Amino acid sequence: MSVQSTCPETFDVVIVGCGVSGSTLAFYLASAGISVLAIEKETFPRYHIGESLTGMVRPIIDDMGLAEEMDRRQFPVKGGVKVMGKEAKREFFVPVLHSTWQVKREEFDQILLERAIEAGAQHCQGTVKEVIREGDKVVGVKYQPREGDKTLKTVRGSIVVDATGQATLFANQGVAGQRINYDEFSKQVAVFAQFKNALRDPGEMGDNTFIFHAQRYHWSWFIPISPEIVSIGIVVPTAKVSECGGKEETLSWGLENINPDLQKRVKEAEYGEVRSIGNYSYSVDPFV
Ligand SMILES: Cc1cc2nc3c(=O)[nH]c(=O)nc-3n(C[C@H](O)[C@H](O)[C@H](O)COP(=O)(O)OP(=O)(O)OC[C@H]3O[C@@H](n4cnc5c(N)ncnc54)[C@H](O)[C@@H]3O)c2cc1C
């Protein structure tokens, strides 16, 4: 992927963040002939959580001309979500509105960004450090092209979009309202890893998302994201992580205790780096 080291200084729209939202917006704006710059701090491909796409995403992927590429990458096709309680009678299946995909975000986000660039969006790497205001309007940003660079670069836009996801740039800069965590949910932590040799259901059912529910605020996801890899995450109250002694221990605890079916599925499995994330349920008000 070609990344510009220097960018022109003025655009119709400047987008900060090239996750799924930023790149999709950049694609549509560029396709409409609007000049757009999308700035991203990470070097792609980069890991990200959020692998099970919703049915509503399918028509957008079709519209962006990416359906063939999704199949070429062998992303599993998701027809729905199977929810399993501890007892068999507590099982149900929720079909998605349109069949969709489970993705490796490191690949998917790169595909979206490349598509935006093909459509005419400009992209440059850099970490936005400040927004530039004139009165109550945001008219540009200052970004650091590379870590360690002392000088910030300036870029201006008639519209500046915060697509930084959980980084909530505008809230941090006092442009939007404060980030407000939802008390009950923000006391939960997700601990997750990518697994090889996890046991899937046979046939198409094996490509769906499985949710294993144990009790309130104790559950797990099981998302096949390639022919070999399943993303498994355990969601528990924060206190459980302290009780277990860390994220690795919490994952082991969850695999053993959340659901007997999950336990069976990971018996022969091995997994890589264990990651965790907390405080991910919040709102920003006003959103601007
Ligand atoms: C535990 C967990 C599980 C989830 N599972 C699912 C799921 O299965 N399915 C689903 O649909 N969603 C899921 N989500 C939600 C999903 O991850 C998000 O909705 C989605 O990633 C949001 O996309 P985005 O483009 O808004 O932000 P992001 O994808 O987070 O992209 C933001 C981008 O902005 C960049 N950035 C941040 N700050 C700056 C800066 N200052 N300068 C430049 N760039 C910056 C970041 O590097 C990043 O690339 C999950 C979320 C969590 C926490």
Side-chain angles (χ1 to χ4, degrees):
M1 181 168 50
S2 70
V3 178
Q4 287 192 224
S5 54
T6 55
C7 303
E9 281 162 10
T10 307
F11 292 83
D12 293 330
V13 181
V14 172
I15 300 171
V16 187
C18 296
V20 286
S21 313
S23 292
T24 304
L25 177 62
F27 167 81
Y28 279 104
L29 293 174
S31 302
I34 293 167
S35 75
V36 53
L37 171 70
I39 309 175
E40 168 59 47
K41 69 173 182 178
E42 300 286 344
T43 306
F44 279 19
R46 58 95 176 88
Y47 176 86
H48 205 292
I49 194 67
E51 297 139 326
S52 184
L53 302 186
T54 63
M56 293 303 286
V57 165
R58 172 67 196 243
I60 300 170
I61 290 175
D62 287 342
D63 193 46
M64 291 177 77
L66 289 174
E68 218 174 280
E69 180 63 13
M70 301 293 278
D71 288 335
R72 196 186 67 74
R73 301 262 176 163
Q74 294 188 290
F75 290 139
V77 175
K78 170 185 169 188
V81 180
K82 187 171 177 182
V83 182
M84 299 169 83
K86 274 201 163 159
E87 299 150 39
K89 64 177 182 194
R90 300 207 165 166
E91 269 183 41
F92 56 93
F93 182 77
V94 186
V96 280
L97 202 54
H98 308 280
S99 91
T100 186
W101 290 274
Q102 321 269 28
V103 297
K104 283 180 166 174
R105 283 286 301 269
E106 56 269 43
E107 287 186 36
F108 182 56
D109 288 23
Q110 182 159 3
I111 294 169
L112 292 176
L113 178 56
E114 283 173 353
R115 191 78 187 95
I117 294 169
E118 271 169 31
Q122 300 222 29
H123 163 58
C124 72
Q125 204 168 336
T127 304
V128 170
K129 298 285 187 184
E130 284 173 40
V131 297
I132 304 166
R133 298 176 212 213
E134 278 173 12
D136 59 359
K137 193 167 165 19
V138 176
V139 295
V141 295
K142 292 188 178 182
Y143 68 95
Q144 182 185 39
R146 277 170 298 269
E147 212 171 319
D149 281 352
K150 295 255 161 26
T151 320
L152 298 185
K153 291 196 169 175
T154 297
V155 66
R156 295 173 78 88
S158 305
I159 294 175
V160 178
V161 177
D162 175 2
T164 61
Q166 295 201 40
T168 55
L169 176 75
F170 277 11
N172 299 348
Q173 295 270 318
V175 175
Q178 289 295 307
R179 176 178 162 141
I180 303 157
N181 285 339
Y182 293 120
D183 260 6
E184 268 184 297
F185 290 111
S186 67
K187 288 186 189 128
Q188 292 176 66
V189 176
V191 179
F192 41 93
Q194 295 186 345
F195 286 65
K196 281 190 176 158
N197 299 324
L199 210 58
R200 304 182 191 192
D201 276 17
E204 287 177 2
M205 182 51 92
D207 285 343
N208 289 318
T209 294
F210 283 61
I211 299 290
F212 297 99
H213 186 260
Q215 64 188 78
R216 203 163 191 224
Y217 307 139
H218 295 70
W219 61 278
S220 166
W221 73 74
F222 184 100
I223 304 172
I225 55 172
S226 82
E228 297 82 30
I229 298 171
V230 177
S231 163
I232 300 179
I234 305 289
V235 181
V236 287
T238 313
K240 188 76 202 173
V241 182
S242 314
E243 189 190 304
C244 288
K247 57 186 176 182
E248 282 82 7
E249 293 81 357
T250 307
L251 183 64
S252 305
W253 176 88
L255 297 173
E256 278 293 310
N257 294 290
I258 289 281
N259 189 291
D261 191 285
L262 175 64
Q263 189 192 36
K264 269 189 255 153
R265 286 171 190 267
V266 296
K267 238 189 185 111
E268 308 289 323
E270 66 262 19
Y271 52 92
E273 184 182 346
V274 179
R275 297 176 161 99
S276 67
I277 185 165
N279 295 332
Y280 50 80
S281 301
Y282 60 89
S283 65
V284 169
D285 186 21
F287 189 56
V288 299

